[in-house]
Amino acid sequence: MKGDFFYLRLGEKVIDIRKRKQITQEQLAFSSDLDRTYIARIERGRANPSIKTLHKICKALRVKLSKLFRGV
C-alpha cells in the first residue's frame, strides 16, 4: 500500500493514546462501533481508515482529531 509510513505512524498514535487511557482494542471497537479486527488493522498500519472512521475512534478515545494527526 502506497504511503505505508503514514498509516504505520497513524496506527502507532492510536495505540499510544489507547494504552495511555488503558483501553483494550475490544473496548475501543465496542465504543466506536467498529470491528475489533479493523481496529487491529488500523493499529498495524494495514488499513486506510476514512475520516468518518477516525472520527469514531477519536470520539471513543475522547480526543480531538487534530491530536490524532499531531506528529504523524
Side-chain angles (χ1 to χ4, degrees):
M1 182 170 24
K2 192 172 184 177
D4 279 348
F5 181 72
F6 173 79
Y7 297 116
L8 288 171
R9 294 291 306 251
L10 179 65
E12 289 170 358
K13 191 74 172 196
V14 171
I15 292 168
D16 181 55
I17 295 170
R18 178 177 61 77
K19 287 187 176 181
R20 284 184 193 197
K21 296 192 178 260
Q22 298 179 334
I23 298 172
T24 65
Q25 280 184 349
E26 192 169 321
Q27 291 168 327
L28 178 57
F30 180 78
S31 58
S32 61
D33 196 32
L34 297 168
D35 191 80
R36 190 204 53 80
T37 59
Y38 189 52
I39 297 290
R41 288 182 58 228
I42 291 170
E43 289 185 352
R44 286 192 320 269
R46 298 289 183 203
N48 179 5
S50 67
I51 293 295
K52 186 175 181 178
T53 298
L54 293 174
H55 182 263
K56 286 180 175 184
I57 291 171
C58 287
K59 192 173 178 182
L61 291 172
R62 295 186 181 129
V63 297
K64 292 183 179 185
L65 192 58
S66 61
K67 182 176 181 177
L68 184 64
F69 284 116
R70 195 171 296 132
V72 173

